[in-house]
Amino acid sequence: MQHFDWIILSVSADPEAPSLRVVELAAQHMRGWKPFGPPFSKLIKIPGEEGASYEVKGHGSEPPQSVYASFAKYVGDLPLVAYDLDYVLEQVLK
């Protein structure tokens, strides 16, 4: 396990949205049980949303396509680990 590389993933959704909407995608490349390299953390811009949180309104956020492309590059072909990964991949990030 000492040299096994993998990605730990965290997805944050807007709790005030009427439907599930991802607002932040964060991950860390791990080597064994230690962080390896810089973390990945991006806020996702939700254009034209009334009542959206401060982060979603554009303060440091990026368009979803840009965030997902950057995330795919960060992950490469490494295995993902997350709480309820099947749900995250099939329902949240589809």
Side-chain angles (χ1 to χ4, degrees):
M1 182 71 182
Q2 182 177 353
H3 298 290
F4 183 73
D5 287 10
W6 53 286
I7 301 288
I8 189 165
L9 168 65
S10 175
V11 176
S12 297
D14 185 350
E16 297 179 16
S19 61
L20 184 63
R21 179 173 44 228
V22 177
V23 295
E24 182 179 18
L25 194 55
Q28 176 62 58
H29 183 160
M30 303 293 288
R31 176 153 294 157
W33 296 111
K34 296 185 181 200
F36 181 76
F40 179 93
S41 180
K42 303 257 184 191
L43 296 171
I44 298 172
K45 182 181 283 188
I46 310 294
E49 289 293 331
E50 290 291 325
S53 67
Y54 176 82
E55 292 85 6
V56 178
K57 287 183 180 176
H59 302 276
S61 60
E62 299 178 28
Q65 301 87 342
S66 173
V67 172
Y68 294 139
S70 295
F71 178 67
K73 186 176 179 180
Y74 182 84
V75 171
D77 62 356
L78 294 176
L80 289 173
V81 175
Y83 175 77
D84 205 0
L85 183 60
D86 286 340
Y87 176 75
V88 168
L89 293 177
E90 294 173 14
Q91 300 298 319
V92 179
L93 296 178
K94 66 177 180 177

